Amino acid sequence: MNFDDTPQEAEFRATARAWISANAPRQYEDELRKSSLGRTVLKNADILEVAKAWQKKKADAGWACLHWPKEYGGRGSSPIERVIWQQEEGPFGQLSRMFIIGHGMCGPTMMAFAREEHKRSYLPPLASGEKVWCQLFSEPAGGSDVAGLRTRAEKDGDDWVINGQKIWTSGAHYSDYGILLTRTDPTVPKHKGLTMFFLDMKSPGVEVRPIKQASGASDFNEVYFTNVRIPDHQRLGEVGDGWNVSLTTLMNERSAIGAAVSTGFPELFEYCSSLMLDDGPAIEDRAVRSKLAHWAVKASGLKYTSMRAISALSKGERPGPENSIGKLVAGSMIQDVATYALDLQGAAGVVSGEDGELAGRFQAMLLRAPGTRVEGGTDEIMRNIIAERVLGLPGDIRVDKDVPFNKIPTKGRG
Amino acid sequence: MNFDFSDDQKQLRDQARKFLAEKCSPKAVRIVLDGKAPYDKELWKGLAEMGFLGVAIPEEFGGAGAGHLELCVIAEEMGRANAPVPFSSTVYLAAEALLIAGSDAQKKKWLPAIAAGEAIGTLALFEGKGNPSPKNVKLTAANGVLNGVKKPVADGGIADFAVVAARTGSSGRDNDISLFLVDLKAGGVDVKSLTNLDPTRGQAEITFKDAKAEPLGAAGEGWSILTQVLDRAAVLCAFEQVGGADRALEMGRDYALDRIAFGRQIGSFQAVKHMLADMYVSATLARSNSYYGAWALSTNAAELPEAAAAARISATQAFQHCAKNNIQVHGGMGFTWEFDCHMYYRRANAMALGLGSLSYWEDQLIDRMRKKNAA
């Protein structure tokens, strides 16, 4: 049992570290480190531009999408090298958030299902951040029931004609391309009538409307499709096989490990170490210490769970569903930690943004936290994954499973 | 990075699991639970024969000389089996105290006997309510004899010797405390068994009246040695707790698959699934914290005090959480004497207190984290 790199890993780490040290946009390091939760804001720069510039620099030097094959813009690295890179990239990795959907989900789906000429033309600019991608799955009536989607694709000559609406589409407002899951046959059970495509987000008939979130930020969008035409050669997988294609995408989403999970704990510990309460330093208060200890062991537990996963990865094992616990634990923890930090501030806790304590850091965390518990699968879906795929308990009962989609009752759904 | 046990260590785990499944069935545990024996002597003998009691004791003192990672692996299995033997008292507390502070003669006298299963040891620290603290030690040592009362002493009713914390000064500081070795079968020692939450591991009150004692470690060093012993025991107990938590989760999962209500396996109800998923989460976090503790223990890292406290808290929470919700999954049956759920519930709650309660370790963790941050 040790925390040491193998000689090859150590060499890779040293090379990565040296390159990052010489090339990263250090002027933003402090801001990126401090805005690890809540909102990532660069005061004097457009974060998208900074992110694109960093990504391009990485791509030109062969450090983009490390685990992708070289011919598609990657480096052909092992999974463990990807983890080492993430560790070394540290706060600069926050800039990759702009590309997380494209790199984590769209790219792998294209790799698995697109035609070779499409892979060669679309993937390298995706890897280098020149083109941004989004994923058009969720719908207003869907939520966790992704397969219940209603956006239609109808064949018209060599094209497909798309009508419908998507929602919760991260980054659609600055995306160039998207992968799109549609219904091509409403007369068969819901999982069987789906088909996947990719499309140019600038196509006529695509309308993107940003959603203002509870936090005040607008990271997500509604996307409307009115007679949007997609050529058949942009279909991913067979007609009617869209569900299997999307599972590949979702599996990739959940297998991302190694990046440090935000829990809010280091921020809270630091805050309590300096905060003075009426009776003295917060860190010496019995009740505060008990709370801190409770969260400390969750944070360290997650950290070492991730290290165990990395160890398994370096032995060539595949990351499994047990890695769902990171988001599940961290999501509600951030929310609780932020709530508690505000409680310690008393009445002043209500003041947010630049006017608030620590420039409103915990207030921003509080307002962003509910999203963390929902996006990429709610806490309840994460628990189902653990219960079903780790513990082997029965799947939820799905009464619509064998019913043709157009015969499923729709009352109360969009 | 290889943050995992080695293949050899995993093999040892399999071996221990198989041995305990055979020799320590719930039926065997119940003999002690029902008060028909103070501990499982046959199992104790078997553990000695397998080399498990001396796995971390150096070969020169009659042990296997393997190491503490190996001991962690065995501890987990002892917890999984809910073994009714004085393993933690003898191996984690008494043997560790001897390894840290014992003279060559003391080690030669007791460690081979421990490894051979011929001597049961314990730590006599507590004197009624309260957590580990020098100010809670009232028992005095003077002129080579001890006077005072220790209570509760884990496995005190069956122990051959005890490491006893005694007051030897009146400065009001930690160095008032010294440790002593006492042969409990000699004169001046009165042992009374106490009823307790977990009858599979006894508790006793021990009264010392001019009981002969020999110093263990230097005078005035008692508290510093004790802190090290407690930290090491915290990691080892954490593995027992992880083993117990895992077993409780497994029992709950199996029952949820087996039991039909409202025409369905109860494990198909989301409320039950989610309860079991949460048990898995807490057991996993505890396991990961314990692995870190094991690494720190086995390398004697500077991080040990912090890692030990984190492992202790996390494993205590996980075992209590899994043991109580295992009963909940079982419904009314879980609350019967006949089902095994309560054995783990008892063990979980007794173990939560044995090295000082959760609030004590929370305090320790924050102090240690502060110290590290200040450094």
Side-chain angles (χ1 to χ4, degrees), chain B residues 192-226:
Chain B
K192 189 181 107 190
S193 284
L194 304 171
T195 52
N196 95 84
L197 283 175
D198 176 17
T200 62
R201 284 188 179 167
Q203 299 283 344
E205 175 181 299
I206 305 185
T207 305
F208 299 88
K209 265 189 205 152
D210 292 330
K212 270 196 194 154
E214 58 177 74
L216 177 70
E221 291 293 310
W223 199 256
S224 124
I225 299 164
L226 258 181

Side-chain angles (χ1 to χ4, degrees), chain A residues 164-344:
Chain A
Q165 184 200 348
K166 295 289 174 179
I167 195 169
W168 314 129
T169 313
S170 307
H173 52 307
Y174 53 79
S175 286
D176 302 285
Y177 298 96
I179 57 172
L180 172 70
L181 192 56
T182 64
R183 183 162 308 281
T184 40
D185 186 354
T187 66
V188 293
K190 64 179 182 180
H191 290 95
K192 295 184 178 149
L194 303 176
T195 304
M196 183 85 88
F197 300 93
F198 74 90
L199 85 161
D200 186 336
M201 288 295 285
K202 308 288 184 294
S203 306
V206 177
E207 187 197 346
V208 177
R209 294 186 199 163
I211 299 171
K212 189 167 181 181
Q213 299 147 217
S215 62
S218 297
D219 304 323
F220 305 102
N221 304 271
E222 292 180 294
V223 182
Y224 292 84
F225 297 90
T226 313
N227 295 324
V228 175
R229 298 189 82 84
I230 302 180
D232 186 60
H233 60 79
Q234 291 183 196
R235 177 162 45 80
L236 297 170
E238 298 303 316
V239 174
D241 200 36
W243 184 247
N244 285 327
V245 177
S246 73
L247 285 183
T248 306
T249 315
L250 295 171
M251 227 109 78
N252 275 295
E253 179 181 22
R254 289 178 186 142
S255 73
I257 61 161
V261 192
S262 290
T263 59
F265 178 74
E267 290 86 348
L268 183 69
F269 189 81
E270 189 191 323
Y271 184 53
C272 289
S273 298
S274 59
L275 178 69
M276 289 298 288
L277 300 178
D278 297 345
D279 302 332
I283 192 86
E284 283 168 23
D285 182 274
R286 183 71 203 83
V288 172
R289 290 163 80 91
S290 177
K291 289 271 192 190
L292 285 176
H294 174 78
W295 284 314
V297 303
K298 281 195 176 188
S300 59
L302 285 184
K303 178 175 163 194
Y304 299 121
T305 298
S306 155
M307 288 193 175
R308 287 170 55 207
I310 293 168
S311 295
L313 204 59
S314 75
K315 286 183 211 159
E317 293 166 29
R318 280 181 63 84
E322 62 275 9
N323 293 303
S324 301
I325 83 165
K327 194 185 96 73
L328 174 61
V329 174
S332 57
M333 185 168 154
I334 292 170
Q335 201 166 28
D336 294 344
V337 160
T339 306
Y340 189 63
L342 301 198
D343 183 75
L344 289 173

Side-chain angles (χ1 to χ4, degrees), chain A residues 42-245:
Chain A
L42 301 181
K43 264 187 200 148
N44 301 312
D46 178 344
I47 191 158
L48 183 61
E49 291 311 310
V50 174
K52 282 190 164 189
W54 174 229
Q55 191 64 29
K56 182 74 171 62
K57 206 168 185 182
K58 287 196 283 186
D60 289 345
W63 294 105
C65 295
L66 278 85
H67 58 300
W68 287 16
K70 282 183 185 162
E71 62 266 35
Y72 304 140
R75 191 186 178 88
S77 286
S78 67
I80 194 74
E81 286 176 343
R82 181 183 171 203
V83 170
I84 291 171
W85 170 267
Q86 284 170 342
Q87 290 170 344
E88 293 300 323
E89 195 180 13
F92 302 109
Q94 302 244 34
L95 294 169
S96 318
R97 277 191 188 169
M98 307 287 165
F99 314 115
I100 204 164
I101 303 279
H103 291 165
M105 298 159 77
C106 305
T109 307
M110 288 289 286
M111 253 175 263
F113 295 100
R115 297 171 174 211
E116 188 58 34
E117 72 262 27
H118 286 335
K119 291 190 216 179
R120 289 186 184 272
S121 55
Y122 288 97
L123 288 172
L126 166 56
S128 65
E130 287 157 88
K131 298 292 179 191
V132 181
W133 285 59
C134 62
Q135 172 218 310
L136 301 142
F137 282 16
S138 296
E139 295 196 5
S144 297
D145 182 11
V146 175
L149 63 87
R150 308 171 87 186
T151 293
R152 299 186 313 281
E154 283 151 334
K155 195 82 191 289
D156 181 23
D158 281 344
D159 287 348
W160 292 82
V161 178
I162 317 294
N163 281 286
Q165 184 200 348
K166 295 289 174 179
I167 195 169
W168 314 129
T169 313
S170 307
H173 52 307
Y174 53 79
S175 286
D176 302 285
Y177 298 96
I179 57 172
L180 172 70
L181 192 56
T182 64
R183 183 162 308 281
T184 40
D185 186 354
T187 66
V188 293
K190 64 179 182 180
H191 290 95
K192 295 184 178 149
L194 303 176
T195 304
M196 183 85 88
F197 300 93
F198 74 90
L199 85 161
D200 186 336
M201 288 295 285
K202 308 288 184 294
S203 306
V206 177
E207 187 197 346
V208 177
R209 294 186 199 163
I211 299 171
K212 189 167 181 181
Q213 299 147 217
S215 62
S218 297
D219 304 323
F220 305 102
N221 304 271
E222 292 180 294
V223 182
Y224 292 84
F225 297 90
T226 313
N227 295 324
V228 175
R229 298 189 82 84
I230 302 180
D232 186 60
H233 60 79
Q234 291 183 196
R235 177 162 45 80
L236 297 170
E238 298 303 316
V239 174
D241 200 36
W243 184 247
N244 285 327
V245 177

Side-chain angles (χ1 to χ4, degrees), chain B residues 313-336:
Chain B
I313 296 168
S314 192
T316 297
Q317 289 175 337
F319 194 9
Q320 287 183 314
H321 177 85
C322 290
K324 85 176 174 190
N325 282 339
N326 177 36
I327 296 182
Q328 187 67 17
V329 171
H330 278 73
M333 293 315 292
F335 189 58
T336 61

Side-chain angles (χ1 to χ4, degrees), chain A residues 4 289 300 305 311 388 396, chain B residues 1 3 273 288-289 363 367:
Chain A
D4 305 331
R289 290 163 80 91
S300 59
T305 298
S311 295
E388 293 168 21
D396 273 15
Chain B
M1 186 193 312
F3 192 48
K273 285 164 76 171
S288 300
N289 277 311
D363 243 5
D367 276 341

